[in-house]
Amino acid sequence: MAKAPVLTPRADDYPRWYQDLIGKAELADSGPVRGTMVIRPYGYALWERMQQEMDTRIKAAGADNAYFPLFIPQGHLTREAQHVEGFAPELAVVTHGGGKQLEEPVVVRPTSETIVNEYFAKWVQSYRDLPLLINQWANVVRWEMRPRVFLRTSEFLWQEGHTAHATYEDARDYAAHIHREVYADFMENILAIDVVAGRKTASERFAGAVNTLTLEGMMGDGKALQLGTSHELGQNFARAFDTRYLSKEGREEYVWQTSWGSSTRMVGGLIMSHGDDSGLRVPPRLAPVQVVVLAVKGEEQVLAKVRELGDRLTAAGLRARVDDRTDTPFGRRAVDWELKGVPVRIEVGPRDLESGTATLVRRIPGGKQPVPLQALAELLPTVLEEDQALLLRQSRERREALTSDVSSAEEAAAAAAAGGWARLPWAALGEEGEARLAEHAVTVRCLVAEDGSVPDADDAPGNVAVVARAY
Amino acid sequence: MAKAPVLTPRADDYPRWYQDLIGKAELADSGPVRGTMVIRPYGYALWERMQQEMDTRIKAAGADNAYFPLFIPQGHLTREAQHVEGFAPELAVVTHGGGKQLEEPVVVRPTSETIVNEYFAKWVQSYRDLPLLINQWANVVRWEMRPRVFLRTSEFLWQEGHTAHATYEDARDYAAHIHREVYADFMENILAIDVVAGRKTASERFAGAVNTLTLEGMMGDGKALQLGTSHELGQNFARAFDTRYLSKEGREEYVWQTSWGSSTRMVGGLIMSHGDDSGLRVPPRLAPVQVVVLAVKGEEQVLAKVRELGDRLTAAGLRARVDDRTDTPFGRRAVDWELKGVPVRIEVGPRDLESGTATLVRRIPGGKQPVPLQALAELLPTVLEEDQALLLRQSRERREALTSDVSSAEEAAAAAAAGGWARLPWAALGEEGEARLAEHAVTVRCLVAEDGSVPDADDAPGNVAVVARAY
């Protein structure tokens, strides 16, 4: 008898599979206000692990955490012209506070460049105060007309970095450092998502930036997801907010700035990179639960054994959890852990105790095998590292298989519509071709140099445009 | 020649000393929207350490982190009558989103009981789903007419716990567990603040609660600060949101709930508990920087030695930082670390290298002494634990010295006005006496039982009212 599928199969309806998975794996719910979300404990545990890994890398890059207010006076936003033009359609506006109409409405931050610059202008006096490297973990609001949980929500959680530097070169190098050593490193080595690193074309840049670096991942349906961006802001905000410093030579100079962000949308990217028809598959280095030890039945000896084993694995440095909820049928619990994508299940039943073994079930490659209980603590780290590598390899292979080289905008649009990425010379596409792609809801995700590196300029010779539909 | 004081002395003007310290120790700035604040890196590092210590205790109490939306439909708030009455005057209201007027205005959460209950009502089906133990780290907004940085801000950061239980007893015990094992334990053992644990009188309870437990600390000026509260919500929100479960006996029952919160106001409490006329004094167990190793001058040998020493202390498990900014005068840097309240400074100059010693400067008891460089890694943990204990002892001694036993509301009001706490039998004060105290801006901070424990009821025999002015 074939089991009824737990989720809508991906091949039948990918967006529905995504929604099913988020509901059944208990990752999130929709909020009561349009476009908002409730992040449930397991979804939040994934985000907390992302935060930990990112925060360590951000601190290693020399940035300190701080916190700026949620509310920004409307006037602040209008000081940088491109910036306000980009964000005005998405703003939430507070008009009443403490029972009274406010004299000046305040906006809920869509991003914090403007309020950060008000303070940078105060804090930065001399070249000794530079570089000033700040990061913030916060919620932001951008009103969404077509929301999708984790991918496009009216409120989301993120980190936003904001820095000020004495020179153009120092700012450029720092944006590139964050792009490479924080974002790309985290995405490849922890999220196990193969990402293409490139620069945005002028039409896709952050509102107010002179250059935007991006990391793009290919999802299970061949669409692209922008996973993190780093911006060179030039002196745009510095001029708007008069953020100047006294140089070593005694001259007043505007600072050069960067900003960079990554958000809970990475949870959506995780789902669509690694999920399958049975649920999520979480890379072991990220997983809040790497190993779950399940009591198949409720005998005292079984319960004692799973608890002892759970303690032993925890002591060995693994993120282990015991599932001894034997008043819930074993099959339902097994399906639940599959949905949640925990990399390894250790199933212990009465017969296992007699033979001194347990059943090791691997979520990522699939398959189960008996394993001596005594061998587990030593075996599991190797298993988990294999699984981590496999997910990255599968992500890379999918991108390679679904990417095609083309030579015109029309071919690129067709490749994207068929569920894949296209590559073509930027010189052959150009802004005019980019505009034609837009008619098919297809965009240039980024420009990369011939050798795969990040180009220094949009029009550098040999630049290749990576083209796709995107979330 | 006497040095000009770095801060306004506490004895001259306590509120000004507080503001001076926050500015000069670079803890926070006022935000552009009235009552908001910018938490600067050092202030935020203090908050991050509080978060870490609290989060560990909250997870040990079995609660999982999650995230609920910032925006709550106005209609949600009105469902629990006392709750909306309590919070209506402090709400910030969003009327426009995405360029349009909203059909129903949304409020920025002042606290999350109402939105949490919408989801608890969905998630809780049977007794197997209980207890449901959730915590959230988030920002909340309560419009403040008389803001003061960290103590009363229109936006603040906090954690709010929300739980649902099958029985009254289980909810009551969990609120008490959080009160004791999370809040009191953290405040005494990490913040080194001596706290009085008690229950609020009816007029001081959280809006919508049937019982509020509180922890009150005495600040340097003899006023009280409420540092954390745990509420028994009874079935008030469960009835308003129809949060029910199917019991083991097959009956539909309303859940019993708790909520509990602590916030960035604890940073204000830290300042006013331990600060002195030279700045902050941070308890070593909390301190983001426990030891700073200062290069007195910029000779290569000195710089090499301070860096080596910094590495050695870090390797020994201390939170150490190196200050080798020798282009800033030594005296200014020393004053800066005093302002920031780093418990121990190790000063290394050229003469120290010759003798193989360094100067150990202790911020908390005061005083400096030469110490052999080789002995530091072993000596410092003992020094830091002594300092931790000293701060708690000083906090306790101040409370004891400035608390007096009185017998009438008038005497209590006089004691509070003189800068202290008063204790008197609740039976002698009563709600009528409480109302008279209010005319002098004096409140009952909490009720405690004769033996110092937390009473089960307001009118339990022998209850003592602790009375003070409060922030």
Side-chain angles (χ1 to χ4, degrees):
Chain A
M1 190 179 78
K3 281 193 295 183
V6 177
L7 306 173
T8 304
R10 285 166 297 168
D12 290 1
D13 186 339
Y14 196 82
R16 185 151 192 172
W17 164 83
Y18 179 76
Q19 289 296 342
D20 278 5
L21 192 158
I22 286 171
K24 296 217 170 148
E26 300 182 333
L27 299 177
D29 268 351
S30 294
V33 173
R34 183 174 171 72
T36 62
M37 64 176 162
V38 176
I39 309 180
R40 299 185 67 175
Y42 188 61
Y44 198 81
L46 292 168
W47 175 240
E48 272 187 320
R49 285 285 306 131
M50 293 183 188
Q51 287 187 298
Q52 285 165 5
E53 293 286 343
M54 293 277 293
D55 198 63
T56 302
R57 286 166 176 76
I58 289 167
K59 284 175 174 152
D64 288 322
N65 288 335
Y67 188 78
F68 291 84
L70 175 70
F71 292 150
I72 303 180
Q74 212 160 32
H76 276 51
L77 230 72
T78 58
R79 288 204 219 166
E80 211 291 329
Q82 288 184 304
H83 189 69
V84 70
E85 194 185 316
F87 284 105
E90 303 176 353
L91 297 177
V93 185
V94 176
T95 53
H96 292 72
K100 288 187 186 154
Q101 179 150 9
L102 302 179
E103 287 179 20
E104 184 188 2
V106 302
V107 303
V108 183
R109 63 179 162 224
T111 180
S112 302
E113 278 77 4
T114 57
I115 196 160
V116 163
N117 261 279
E118 174 175 342
Y119 291 87
F120 276 24
K122 285 172 63 173
W123 298 340
V124 173
Q125 305 289 332
S126 102
Y127 68 93
R128 284 193 195 85
D129 301 319
L130 299 175
L132 179 57
L133 311 173
I134 298 288
N135 179 61
Q136 161 169 287
W137 291 96
N139 54 345
V140 287
V141 170
R142 299 177 186 177
W143 213 262
E144 271 297 339
M145 294 302 149
R146 290 159 43 218
R148 197 174 295 193
V149 175
F150 288 124
L151 298 173
R152 294 191 170 278
T153 47
S154 293
E155 179 193 7
F156 54 90
L157 305 184
W158 78 342
Q159 63 65 220
E160 50 179 319
H162 298 276
T163 70
H165 305 259
T167 65
Y168 159 75
E169 290 76 14
D170 195 44
R172 179 198 62 193
D173 293 349
Y174 197 76
H177 180 80
I178 293 290
H179 179 66
R180 197 174 53 240
E181 303 300 331
V182 176
Y183 292 160
D185 183 75
F186 168 72
M187 289 164 195
E188 296 197 354
N189 293 317
I190 305 296
L191 292 187
I193 300 179
D194 174 69
V195 281
V196 169
R199 63 184 278 140
K200 290 287 187 192
T201 60
S203 67
E204 296 283 330
R205 257 179 227 143
F206 177 75
V210 299
N211 185 26
T212 290
L213 305 176
T214 183
L215 293 154
E216 304 279 328
M218 183 187 279
M219 303 296 102
D221 60 352
K223 284 195 188 175
L225 182 69
Q226 174 183 307
L227 285 159
T229 48
S230 308
H231 315 293
E232 295 174 41
L233 302 177
Q235 296 179 316
N236 289 346
F237 289 89
R239 286 175 196 278
F241 286 84
D242 205 22
T243 313
R244 286 180 297 171
Y245 74 98
L246 196 65
S247 75
K248 267 186 192 163
E249 295 74 30
R251 282 198 305 269
E252 287 278 342
E253 307 267 12
Y254 289 111
V255 299
W256 297 84
Q257 294 188 274
T258 81
S259 68
W260 26 282
S262 65
S263 75
T264 39
R265 115 181 301 215
M266 290 194 294
V267 179
L270 179 80
I271 296 166
M272 293 196 296
S273 290
H274 302 314
D276 64 19
D277 288 348
S278 301
L280 189 53
R281 298 186 304 163
V282 184
R285 291 190 199 154
L286 181 75
V289 184
Q290 297 175 309
V291 185
V292 60
V293 184
L294 280 94
V296 175
K297 298 214 164 144
E299 283 93 341
E300 251 330 300
Q301 282 167 304
V302 171
L303 295 177
K305 179 55 77 179
V306 299
R307 286 165 194 160
E308 181 215 313
L309 189 55
D311 289 345
R312 193 138 47 86
L313 297 178
T314 301
L318 295 162
R319 291 188 288 275
R321 187 177 296 182
V322 165
D323 178 352
D324 53 8
R325 299 168 299 158
T326 48
D327 54 349
T328 301
F330 171 72
R332 198 195 294 175
R333 289 183 288 137
V335 165
D336 186 53
W337 292 114
E338 288 217 350
L339 277 164
K340 291 192 159 76
V342 169
V344 169
R345 298 205 302 275
I346 310 290
E347 301 176 350
V348 181
R351 274 180 304 182
D352 295 309
L353 287 189
E354 285 163 32
S355 59
T357 61
T359 304
L360 170 71
V361 188
R362 290 175 67 171
R363 177 69 182 88
I364 290 165
K368 53 176 71 182
Q369 64 187 104
V371 173
L373 282 168
Q374 291 307 320
L376 278 169
E378 201 177 333
L379 178 65
L380 286 178
T382 311
V383 164
L384 293 172
E385 279 302 294
E386 274 177 26
D387 291 353
Q388 179 80 30
L390 177 60
L391 285 177
L392 181 60
R393 194 160 68 243
Q394 290 178 344
S395 171
R396 180 161 299 147
E397 285 169 358
R398 177 171 57 221
R399 178 180 60 80
E400 287 169 354
L402 297 184
T403 300
S404 50
D405 287 302
V406 301
S407 54
S408 71
E410 287 62 35
E411 286 173 18
W421 292 9
R423 291 166 47 92
L424 77 169
W426 172 241
L429 186 64
E431 295 191 357
E432 191 268 331
E434 194 180 12
R436 292 211 305 283
L437 289 177
E439 293 165 16
H440 303 274
V442 174
T443 46
V444 177
R445 302 314 305 153
C446 61
L447 303 176
V448 297
E450 270 176 303
D451 64 358
S453 67
V454 180
D456 288 332
D458 285 14
D459 56 0
N463 273 1
V464 173
V466 177
V467 167
R469 292 206 166 152
Y471 283 98
Chain B
M1 190 179 79
K3 283 193 293 186
V6 176
L7 306 174
T8 304
R10 286 165 297 168
D12 289 2
D13 185 341
Y14 197 82
R16 184 152 193 170
W17 164 82
Y18 179 76
Q19 290 295 345
D20 278 4
L21 192 158
I22 286 171
K24 296 219 169 149
E26 300 182 335
L27 299 178
D29 267 352
S30 294
V33 173
R34 184 174 171 72
T36 62
M37 65 176 161
V38 177
I39 309 180
R40 300 185 68 173
Y42 189 61
Y44 199 80
L46 292 169
W47 174 240
E48 272 187 320
R49 285 284 308 130
M50 291 184 189
Q51 286 188 299
Q52 286 166 7
E53 293 286 343
M54 292 278 292
D55 198 64
T56 302
R57 285 166 177 76
I58 289 167
K59 284 175 173 150
D64 288 321
N65 287 336
Y67 188 78
F68 291 83
L70 176 71
F71 292 150
I72 303 180
Q74 210 160 33
H76 276 51
L77 229 73
T78 58
R79 288 206 219 165
E80 213 288 332
Q82 286 185 307
H83 189 68
V84 69
E85 194 186 316
F87 284 104
E90 302 176 354
L91 297 177
V93 185
V94 176
T95 53
H96 292 72
K100 288 185 187 154
Q101 179 149 11
L102 303 179
E103 288 180 18
E104 184 189 3
V106 301
V107 303
V108 183
R109 64 180 161 223
T111 180
S112 301
E113 278 76 8
T114 59
I115 196 159
V116 163
N117 261 278
E118 174 176 343
Y119 291 88
F120 276 25
K122 287 173 62 174
W123 299 340
V124 172
Q125 305 289 332
S126 100
Y127 68 92
R128 283 193 196 85
D129 301 319
L130 299 175
L132 178 58
L133 312 174
I134 298 288
N135 179 61
Q136 161 169 288
W137 290 98
N139 54 346
V140 287
V141 170
R142 299 177 186 176
W143 213 264
E144 271 296 340
M145 295 303 148
R146 290 159 44 219
R148 196 174 295 192
V149 175
F150 289 123
L151 298 174
R152 294 192 169 276
T153 48
S154 295
E155 179 193 9
F156 55 90
L157 305 183
W158 78 342
Q159 62 66 222
E160 50 178 321
H162 298 276
T163 71
H165 305 259
T167 65
Y168 160 74
E169 289 77 13
D170 196 43
R172 177 198 62 193
D173 292 350
Y174 196 76
H177 181 79
I178 293 290
H179 178 67
R180 197 175 53 240
E181 303 299 330
V182 177
Y183 292 159
D185 183 73
F186 168 73
M187 289 163 195
E188 295 196 355
N189 293 317
I190 306 297
L191 291 187
I193 299 179
D194 173 70
V195 281
V196 169
R199 62 184 279 140
K200 289 288 187 190
T201 59
S203 67
E204 295 283 330
R205 258 180 226 143
F206 177 74
V210 299
N211 185 25
T212 290
L213 305 176
T214 184
L215 293 154
E216 305 280 329
M218 183 188 279
M219 303 295 101
D221 61 351
K223 283 194 190 178
L225 182 70
Q226 174 182 307
L227 285 159
T229 48
S230 308
H231 316 294
E232 295 174 42
L233 303 176
Q235 297 180 315
N236 289 345
F237 289 90
R239 286 175 196 278
F241 286 84
D242 205 22
T243 313
R244 284 181 298 170
Y245 74 98
L246 196 65
S247 74
K248 267 187 191 161
E249 295 74 30
R251 283 197 306 269
E252 287 278 342
E253 307 266 13
Y254 289 111
V255 299
W256 298 84
Q257 295 188 273
T258 81
S259 69
W260 25 282
S262 64
S263 75
T264 38
R265 115 183 299 218
M266 290 193 295
V267 179
L270 180 79
I271 297 167
M272 292 196 295
S273 289
H274 303 312
D276 65 18
D277 288 347
S278 302
L280 189 53
R281 298 186 303 165
V282 185
R285 292 190 197 156
L286 181 76
V289 183
Q290 296 176 309
V291 185
V292 60
V293 184
L294 279 96
V296 175
K297 298 215 164 146
E299 283 92 341
E300 252 330 300
Q301 283 168 304
V302 171
L303 295 177
K305 179 54 79 182
V306 299
R307 287 166 193 158
E308 181 216 311
L309 190 55
D311 289 345
R312 193 139 47 87
L313 297 178
T314 301
L318 294 163
R319 292 188 288 276
R321 185 176 297 181
V322 165
D323 178 351
D324 52 8
R325 301 168 296 159
T326 47
D327 54 350
T328 302
F330 172 73
R332 199 195 295 176
R333 290 183 289 136
V335 165
D336 186 53
W337 293 115
E338 287 215 352
L339 276 164
K340 291 192 158 73
V342 169
V344 169
R345 296 203 305 274
I346 309 289
E347 301 177 349
V348 180
R351 272 180 303 181
D352 295 309
L353 287 188
E354 286 164 31
S355 59
T357 60
T359 305
L360 170 71
V361 187
R362 291 175 67 171
R363 176 69 180 89
I364 290 165
K368 53 175 74 182
Q369 64 187 105
V371 174
L373 282 168
Q374 291 306 321
L376 277 170
E378 201 177 336
L379 176 66
L380 287 179
T382 311
V383 164
L384 294 172
E385 280 300 294
E386 274 178 26
D387 290 352
Q388 180 80 30
L390 177 60
L391 285 176
L392 180 61
R393 194 162 67 243
Q394 289 178 342
S395 172
R396 180 162 298 146
E397 286 170 357
R398 176 172 57 222
R399 179 180 59 80
E400 287 170 352
L402 297 185
T403 299
S404 50
D405 286 301
V406 302
S407 53
S408 71
E410 286 62 35
E411 285 174 18
W421 293 7
R423 290 165 49 91
L424 76 168
W426 171 240
L429 186 65
E431 295 189 357
E432 190 268 332
E434 195 179 11
R436 292 212 306 283
L437 288 177
E439 292 165 20
H440 303 274
V442 175
T443 47
V444 176
R445 303 314 304 155
C446 61
L447 303 176
V448 298
E450 268 176 305
D451 63 359
S453 67
V454 180
D456 288 331
D458 285 13
D459 56 1
N463 273 359
V464 172
V466 177
V467 168
R469 290 204 167 153
Y471 283 97

